[in-house]
Amino acid sequence: MQTDSQRINIYDCDMYMVESADDLTSFSCGNTDLVEFFAQDAYLYDRQLLGKTYYFETKDTHKVIGAFTVANDSIKASLVSRTVRNKLNRQIPNSKRTRSYPAILIGRLGVATNHKGGGIGGQIVDYIKKWFTQHSNKSGCRYVVVDAYNSPDVLAFYEKNEFRYLYSSEEEERATFGMDENEHLNSRMMYFDLIEYTV
Amino acid sequence: MALEIRAIPVLEGAAAERFVREADENALHPQRSQLHLLTREQFESIKLKRKVYAD
């Protein structure tokens, strides 16, 4: 639903980090939770070192066209079931029990309502992938992970951007979180392997 | 505050085995992503700036 006459790309914009409580108060991306987060919580998350929020602003009109929040995370995989682990805990080296992969979590991502459908969201995801695979990145980061809203358009967006599901089905994800089988799953966890960007 | 950012839980069972198998396979034989929406030049042209706030 891009209504602006000229297509805008994120590389035509200036990029800023949220440093003031007022930075994103006028940013509208059409989702109540996202609007509330960017307007009220992004700055608090930054102050508490829980997440850093960045945004792209047009150079001439100073309108925010997209914003995202990232935080350090990891994907841990336990290769020994809890029951067996409890019985044999001291006999299995930790490296064989659990694998841990560093990751960057996209905590929030929003595109301005009047720029939706213009490719901004995909460009932001691509920017994050490139950002965390460049040589100057200060720490290892193997995956990009996201807890995506469980709606067809959002899931299709991340699938199109080559993300895969951490759990193969909603049933498997529900079971992991101890949810009833009829309970609605609000989000799906997805990941992208950055090694595909470094080869 | 809005919904908290949900962290990734520890994978177990089939999900853990599937994930580690794929991670190992990708490390040995990485598939090059064909989806690049920004060229290197476009990416490098994006500079992180700082706002100047009045005192």
Side-chain angles (χ1 to χ4, degrees), chain B residues 8-48:
Chain B
I8 303 294
V10 177
L11 299 177
E12 293 190 326
E17 288 173 20
R18 188 172 55 241
F19 187 85
V20 170
R21 193 167 53 241
E22 184 193 290
D24 289 347
E25 177 61 25
N26 259 5
L28 286 172
H29 308 289
Q31 302 293 309
R32 185 185 290 271
S33 171
Q34 300 299 317
L35 187 72
H36 287 264
L37 301 175
L38 299 173
T39 64
R40 179 162 295 280
E41 291 72 27
Q42 289 167 344
F43 169 76
E44 288 174 351
S45 74
I46 300 170
K47 304 293 181 198
L48 183 60

Side-chain angles (χ1 to χ4, degrees), chain A residues 51-63:
Chain A
K52 287 250 176 223
T53 299
Y54 300 86
Y55 58 97
F56 296 93
E57 187 180 278
T58 56
K59 292 179 180 177
D60 48 1
T61 57
H62 303 289
K63 298 286 185 193

Side-chain angles (χ1 to χ4, degrees), chain A residues 7 60 76 81 83 94 96 102 113-114 138 151 170:
Chain A
R7 178 181 164 140
D60 48 1
K76 290 186 174 63
S81 74
T83 316
N94 192 47
K96 291 185 178 176
T113 312
N114 58 338
K138 293 184 178 65
S151 66
E170 285 197 24

Side-chain angles (χ1 to χ4, degrees), chain A residues 29-38 41 67 69 105-111 116 145-159 163 165 170 173 184-190, chain B residues 1-6:
Chain A
C29 58
N31 175 292
T32 309
D33 177 52
L34 284 176
V35 168
E36 183 187 329
F37 179 86
F38 286 126
D41 300 335
T69 304
L105 172 75
I106 302 176
R108 294 287 191 279
L109 193 161
V111 173
K116 284 192 190 295
V145 290
V146 64
D147 191 22
Y149 286 117
N150 191 8
S151 66
D153 54 336
V154 175
L155 298 181
F157 168 77
Y158 283 107
E159 285 179 20
F163 280 70
Y165 293 96
E170 285 197 24
E173 191 157 346
H184 178 67
L185 197 59
N186 289 322
S187 57
R188 295 290 312 273
M189 292 196 163
M190 303 178 80
Chain B
M1 272 199 179
L3 286 174
E4 280 192 31
I5 295 174
R6 193 166 65 139

